[in-house]
Amino acid sequence: MNPPTIRIDMDDKKTWSPESSSDPSAYEGDMHHVKRNFTRRLTESFKRDPNASVTRSSFSAADSHGYDAEAAAQATALSPLLRRLKGRHLQMIAIGGSIGTGLFVGSGKALAYGGPASVLLSFSLTGVMLYCTVQALGELAVLFPVAGSFAAYSTRFLDPAWGFAMGWNYAMQWLVVLPLEIVSASITVDFWDHKVGLNAAWVAIFLILIVMINFSGVKGYGEAEFVFSIVKVSAVIGYILLAVLMNIMGGTDSQERPNGSYMGFRLWHHPGAFHNGFKGLCSTFVTAAFAFAGTELVGLAAAETENPRKTLPTAIKQVFWRITLFYVVSLLLVGTLVPYDDSRLLNGKSSADAKASPFVISIQNAGIEVLPSVMNVVIMISVLSVGNSSIYGSSRTLAALAEQRQAPSFLAYIDRKGRPLHAIIIASVFGLLAFLAASSNQQDAFNWMLALSGLSSIFTWGSICLAHIRFRKAWALQGHTLDELAFRSPVGVWGSWVGVVFNVLVLIAQFWTGFSPVGFRQDSARELVINFFQAYLAAPVVVIMYIGYKVFVRTRIVRTRDMDLFTGKREMNIKTLLAEEKADRLHWPTWKRVYKFLC
């Protein structure tokens, strides 16, 4: 007779079918087992991953300066985050990751301050800078697909103190962006329903939705971003086609009534291509830099990608098409359809108010009834996408900081589903700040929260480029060649220098426009001080964190000859693999070679 334990196991594996029994109790009994097993699996999935404990013991002996950089690199390399993101997820994150309110709504404020030529120039040059930055990030992330890549690269190739400042800078950016985006999503509902009392209800709905997506794991995040990005990309492509038709047939007469005349670049002559001179141009550079925020998430996701060596280069190449098609072409067309002196561009009550979107305004000017509502739906989805990325970006960064002992150790908790559980909970709790929307001081609270994240992306991009420059120098000094790299930045070190210089120029422009903004009145000194600190608050916060950590932990700038170029490398026989792929490419047809070169 079989032991009872075996019989129980067999019972657990049974499945009910109509042929197996006509007795309903058999189905109910099996459903009881299914429910019990589901509950047990769900409960156990939140338990700590046993592999996560290795990262806590890796710091058993710190160096004489109080920080063990080698152990930190090992901790991020051995992070138990699951590799569940596929190539299609990464590609859509790269293509649609930064398409959001910065493009759909923020571009309206840039148009009002600088004119259409300034918008086109600033977004194009910022796109070139970001292309160089993402290429540098791709080279580092393919070779070292480690958790919390931005801060980890700064810690590894620059200075652990700078890595600490960059990690917390990036985490704070997303932590405060989450409640802002949730409130913005609730405000998009005002486009149809002006009942203010419903805002708190929409805040709760959107917050629960975003939290549920992130608690479903990295694959849930990837699938959600895949859908969000498809919607955003489709909307931009559809708008470009519509804008061409509106430009050809969407002119107005002296009473601003549609008369079906060709517009061309009429608005570039009257009211003009530029506005507010050089200061107006600088202000649009700042807006353009903020609009591209989130592009670097493709590098953060490398640690959770099935095969970063193959999927990351393909995703990185998508940046060129996003910059060219989605930003440059769409904003060129917007500048031919909406004059910079349109009062509606500055009348938005939030960064997601569709009424201030030049995309919506251009459609309204053409007299099309339904499409403004469609664009508002796209703006809502874009806001939710940014909120979704907020929890993902902040939780992964906090977990990586904890792995390197630069944050409380409980944040390094990774459960059996590969979720940084405690970090996700902390990020989700920050979302409750969105209920400040019901407060009388909501505008002041949100302005200061936004100030904390205002310059975060600029520091992040500059640090990526600088880390790439230092890495290349160490790579050559330690006897390696560029042929050993699985992915090589096509713009090389010079591209990274362009990124560093451009980001410094944007910081200078932000300082100037913060100290003396467009339209500043000489009699409003108090408003000037408040505006400056709200525009530049992130800079002193970063400096204080860097100096404080450096003094307390006594870190040193990492010397080139001492850089660890081994820990975290995924491919040890890269030369053989690259040779095989090169031989395989010789048999590709011409169309495939062209496609792979471009995409």
Side-chain angles (χ1 to χ4, degrees):
M1 185 174 65
N2 293 332
T5 54
I6 296 178
R7 185 171 63 252
I8 293 174
D9 290 341
M10 295 300 295
D11 288 342
D12 285 345
K13 293 180 180 179
K14 285 196 304 183
T15 56
W16 180 86
S17 65
E19 293 79 9
S20 63
S21 174
S22 59
D23 184 5
S25 62
Y27 172 74
E28 292 173 358
D30 282 325
M31 284 305 297
H32 172 72
H33 287 301
V34 170
K35 292 178 181 178
R36 186 184 65 186
N37 290 339
F38 173 77
T39 303
R40 184 171 66 247
R41 288 197 304 270
L42 180 64
T43 303
E44 291 181 351
S45 71
F46 290 104
K47 293 182 178 179
R48 188 184 185 103
D49 189 311
N51 295 325
S53 60
V54 70
T55 61
R56 306 317 313 156
S57 61
S58 60
F59 284 88
S60 57
D63 63 13
S64 59
H65 304 291
Y67 190 83
D68 192 341
E70 183 178 349
Q74 184 183 15
T76 53
L78 296 178
S79 176
L81 294 172
L82 296 184
R83 294 174 169 271
R84 294 287 180 85
L85 290 179
K86 299 182 182 295
R88 62 183 179 88
H89 296 139
L90 210 61
Q91 289 182 36
M92 292 311 296
I93 291 172
I95 293 175
S98 66
I99 299 177
T101 55
L103 173 64
F104 292 127
V105 182
S107 58
K109 191 174 182 180
L111 180 62
Y113 284 165
S118 292
V119 170
L120 185 63
L121 183 63
S122 62
F123 274 80
S124 299
L125 292 178
T126 304
V128 171
M129 177 275 294
L130 201 60
Y131 176 80
C132 296
T133 303
V134 174
Q135 295 295 331
L137 174 61
E139 183 176 308
L140 293 173
V142 169
L143 190 62
F144 304 105
V146 298
S149 55
F150 316 132
Y153 297 147
S154 294
T155 297
R156 192 167 184 168
F157 302 124
L158 299 176
D159 184 348
W162 188 250
F164 170 83
M166 286 300 95
W168 278 103
N169 168 64
Y170 196 73
M172 284 196 304
Q173 173 194 357
W174 288 119
L175 286 174
V176 300
V177 162
L178 175 61
L180 294 173
E181 295 302 321
I182 292 174
V183 171
S184 296
S186 68
I187 290 177
T188 59
V189 182
D190 292 345
F191 189 82
W192 302 290
D193 192 341
H194 300 285
K195 295 179 181 178
V196 180
L198 291 177
N199 274 4
W202 285 110
V203 164
I205 292 172
F206 292 142
L207 177 59
I208 291 173
L209 175 63
I210 292 172
V211 170
M212 287 179 62
I213 290 174
N214 279 272
F215 268 103
S216 63
V218 67
K219 193 170 183 180
Y221 164 77
E223 293 293 350
E225 282 303 300
F226 183 79
V227 174
F228 291 154
S229 294
I230 287 178
V231 173
K232 292 187 288 185
V233 168
S234 301
V236 174
I237 294 175
Y239 176 82
I240 289 173
L241 298 176
L242 176 64
V244 171
L245 295 177
M246 291 191 297
N247 187 281
I248 296 173
M249 302 181 297
T252 57
D253 56 22
S254 57
Q255 282 77 40
E256 299 296 327
R257 295 174 300 188
N259 61 8
S261 62
Y262 173 71
M263 292 189 66
F265 285 86
R266 183 190 308 173
L267 297 180
W268 284 50
H269 298 283
H270 180 75
F274 292 94
H275 189 216
N276 292 315
F278 185 65
K279 184 184 291 186
L281 176 62
C282 288
S283 67
T284 60
F285 272 110
V286 173
T287 303
F290 295 158
F292 281 103
T295 304
E296 69 285 341
L297 278 170
V298 68
L300 191 68
E304 296 176 86
T305 304
E306 287 183 349
N307 191 344
R309 188 177 63 83
K310 287 187 176 181
T311 55
L312 259 179
T314 301
I316 293 298
K317 291 177 183 178
Q318 309 292 342
V319 174
F320 171 78
W321 297 111
R322 182 185 61 223
I323 293 169
T324 303
L325 181 63
F326 302 139
Y327 279 89
V328 176
V329 175
S330 62
L331 290 176
L332 171 63
L333 292 168
V334 162
T336 65
L337 298 172
V338 181
Y340 69 70
D341 57 358
D342 193 311
S343 60
R344 290 171 290 180
L345 294 172
L346 296 175
N347 285 341
K349 61 181 179 178
S350 84
S351 60
D353 194 343
K355 299 181 184 68
S357 168
F359 290 78
V360 172
I361 292 172
S362 64
I363 297 173
Q364 290 174 335
N365 290 346
I368 302 176
E369 298 282 339
V370 179
L371 286 183
S373 292
V374 175
M375 283 303 301
N376 190 58
V377 172
V378 174
I379 293 171
M380 179 189 295
I381 291 174
S382 300
V383 171
L384 292 176
S385 174
V386 175
N388 188 38
S389 298
S390 297
I391 294 184
Y392 179 82
S394 59
S395 62
R396 269 59 180 181
T397 304
L398 288 172
L401 287 170
E403 295 279 8
Q404 301 171 83
R405 285 203 166 178
Q406 294 177 331
S409 59
F410 76 92
L411 293 173
Y413 186 101
I414 309 292
D415 66 20
R416 295 183 179 181
K417 288 291 185 180
R419 296 168 297 205
L421 190 62
H422 292 169
I424 291 177
I425 292 173
I426 293 295
S428 302
V429 169
F430 265 81
L432 297 176
L433 292 175
F435 288 101
L436 285 173
S439 169
S440 58
N441 297 321
Q442 60 159 318
Q443 195 60 48
D444 291 336
F446 289 145
N447 284 343
W448 287 107
M449 282 195 294
L450 189 61
L452 283 173
S453 65
L455 297 175
S456 177
S457 294
I458 308 299
F459 284 111
T460 298
W461 298 335
S463 297
I464 290 170
C465 293
L466 195 56
H468 178 248
I469 293 170
R470 296 289 315 283
F471 158 75
R472 277 289 191 95
K473 186 177 180 180
W475 190 255
L477 184 66
Q478 297 185 25
H480 297 281
T481 64
L482 297 181
D483 293 334
E484 298 177 54
L485 297 175
F487 173 72
R488 188 191 314 174
S489 169
V491 291
V493 175
W494 286 107
S496 295
W497 276 114
V498 169
V500 171
V501 171
F502 193 92
N503 280 291
V504 171
L505 292 177
V506 171
L507 287 175
I508 295 173
Q510 174 73 338
F511 185 89
W512 183 33
T513 56
F515 184 77
S516 179
V518 173
F520 166 66
R521 302 188 311 275
Q522 295 296 329
D523 59 342
S524 55
R526 181 176 179 274
E527 293 181 9
L528 172 64
V529 174
I530 293 175
N531 180 81
F532 174 75
F533 277 102
Q534 288 181 346
Y536 227 73
L537 180 62
V541 170
V542 167
V543 172
I544 291 172
M545 286 192 295
Y546 172 67
I547 295 176
Y549 190 84
K550 193 169 187 65
V551 171
F552 184 75
V553 185
R554 295 175 295 156
T555 65
R556 291 181 179 179
I557 296 175
V558 182
R559 292 177 293 185
T560 308
R561 65 176 180 270
D562 296 333
M563 288 182 187
D564 179 9
L565 302 180
F566 178 80
T567 305
K569 285 178 63 178
R570 293 290 190 251
E571 303 289 351
M572 304 309 297
N573 57 341
I574 195 66
K575 289 185 177 181
T576 303
L577 292 172
L578 291 178
E580 292 175 356
E581 291 178 3
K582 186 176 182 180
D584 183 53
R585 285 196 294 268
L586 295 177
H587 302 287
W588 285 355
T590 304
W591 68 266
K592 189 173 183 179
R593 293 181 185 179
V594 174
Y595 173 79
K596 288 294 184 179
F597 176 78
L598 296 175
C599 302

